[in-house]
Amino acid sequence: MTDFRTLLATLSRPRLLVRAARLGIEDYRRDRDLRRLTDHARPESALPQLLEKEAVMEATRMAGDASYSVARHVELLIALMAEARLQPRLV
């Protein structure tokens, strides 16, 4: 099993994006937001897809692509952080 908390801790993103995501965690609602961001019906299988989508978003940001959406990137980061917090800790 992958420890997603460790994986998230190794991500290097601009501080402003991370701060915005941290502020948004309070308003995160799994039933509403996760369904909108992923194709998975089961929350347990959503983290890998969220990580993949966030990596694509980061690549788009780094490339300076005009299709980059800051709002969407923050939404993905919020979901990643919130879902990682909901995962059971590995001993």
Side-chain angles (χ1 to χ4, degrees):
M1 175 181 251
T2 304
D3 184 7
F4 291 105
R5 286 185 187 95
T6 304
L7 189 59
L8 283 175
T10 62
L11 288 180
S12 178
R13 300 297 182 257
R15 285 192 342 207
L16 187 58
L17 282 177
V18 174
R19 286 177 62 193
R22 283 187 184 139
L23 291 171
I25 289 176
E26 188 175 310
D27 295 327
Y28 178 76
R29 283 195 13 225
R30 183 182 237 183
D31 58 332
R32 175 194 65 198
D33 299 330
L34 195 57
R35 202 172 333 149
R36 186 169 35 87
L37 294 171
T38 67
D39 300 332
H40 293 283
R42 294 184 5 219
E44 308 83 43
S45 60
L47 264 175
Q49 187 178 15
L50 287 170
L51 281 167
E52 183 180 319
K53 287 184 175 206
E54 194 281 332
V56 170
M57 188 63 66
E58 177 66 6
T60 305
R61 181 187 74 80
M62 294 296 290
D65 194 325
S67 67
Y68 174 71
S69 168
V70 174
R72 181 72 169 179
H73 200 169
V74 170
E75 285 178 334
L76 286 167
L77 287 171
I78 290 168
L80 274 171
M81 290 177 182
E83 289 298 320
R85 286 183 179 183
L86 295 171
Q87 293 295 310
R89 289 197 180 267
L90 295 177
V91 179

